[in-house]
Amino acid sequence: GNSVTQMEGPVTLSEEAFLTINCTYTATGYPSLFWYVQYPGEGLQLLLKATKADDKGSNKGFEATYRKETTSFHLEKGSVQVSDSAVYFCALSDRKAGNNRKLIWGLGTSLAVNP
Amino acid sequence: GAGVSQSPSNKVTEKGKDVELRCDPISGHTALYWYRQRLGQGLEFLIYFQGNSAPDKSGLPSDRFSAERTGESVSTLTIQRTQQEDSAVYLCASSFGLAHTDTQYFGPGTRLTVL
């Protein structure tokens, strides 16, 4: 079946540090991959996505590359800010799931950035 | 424009009571999803609507859970005879429903506490 595995948190970094949050997946088909973010007190929102192999999604200084050979979609940012403190979720939508475009989710990784 | 809205934002109920949760999707979005997030866990898919029909109800945990959607708009999730394990945040999302690459837009959630 389909699944998403994320690195466990919490992750604590100092401002301007480099961030990597690992995400790997298994899918029966050819998925689209997403990173969602949940800031404190706010709802889930899309951070970035990639829909085919070797695509790179990017937004707000975050990047993730769809690696089919390693079934990975790791999230990276070169220099984190205090405002990046949030919970980050990796998710997939499997094209072979027919009409159902439900998202399969990782457990989330909490990031705290200290000034 | 207006995002996805959910009501109530918080609901505290006694074990055995019925509850009804409401979701108003973004206008024009044909797909609507319900997810559940238990404390410390990832999001769990419950049900998916395309228009007013529900092609996938596979995530509903028991026959105490039901959902409907009318007018390709508002959806209600009903939980009968609530149990303590139903305590969670219930999230609604909507999308254009055209492709697996679609972004799902989330509401703020309803936090359900069953005493």
Side-chain angles (χ1 to χ4, degrees), chain A residues 87-102:
Chain A
V87 182
Y88 293 82
F89 292 90
C90 185
L92 71 81
S93 175
D94 190 348
R95 294 168 199 256
K96 279 202 172 180
N99 281 333
N100 190 343
R101 297 170 181 88
K102 68 184 181 187

Side-chain angles (χ1 to χ4, degrees), chain A residues 57-86:
Chain A
S58 61
N59 186 24
K60 300 182 180 181
F62 290 88
E63 292 182 339
T65 300
Y66 188 141
R67 301 285 188 201
K68 189 178 178 185
E69 63 276 14
T70 54
T71 62
S72 65
F73 193 54
H74 304 322
L75 182 67
E76 297 182 335
K77 186 173 185 181
S79 177
V80 293
Q81 305 300 311
V82 173
S83 57
D84 294 326
S85 298

Side-chain angles (χ1 to χ4, degrees), chain A residues 29-74:
Chain A
Y30 190 6
S32 295
L33 301 172
F34 304 81
W35 277 100
Y36 278 79
V37 59
Q38 188 169 30
Y39 296 104
E42 298 185 18
L44 275 166
Q45 57 187 275
L46 179 72
L47 180 60
L48 53 84
K49 68 180 181 183
T51 60
K52 62 183 187 293
D54 300 325
D55 264 4
K56 179 186 285 187
S58 61
N59 186 24
K60 300 182 180 181
F62 290 88
E63 292 182 339
T65 300
Y66 188 141
R67 301 285 188 201
K68 189 178 178 185
E69 63 276 14
T70 54
T71 62
S72 65
F73 193 54
H74 304 322

Side-chain angles (χ1 to χ4, degrees), chain A residues 36 49 94 99-101 103, chain B residues 35 48 56 99-101 104:
Chain A
Y36 278 79
K49 68 180 181 183
D94 190 348
N99 281 333
N100 190 343
R101 297 170 181 88
L103 290 171
Chain B
Y35 296 91
Y48 155 67
D56 188 347
H100 287 85
T101 56
Q104 293 185 19

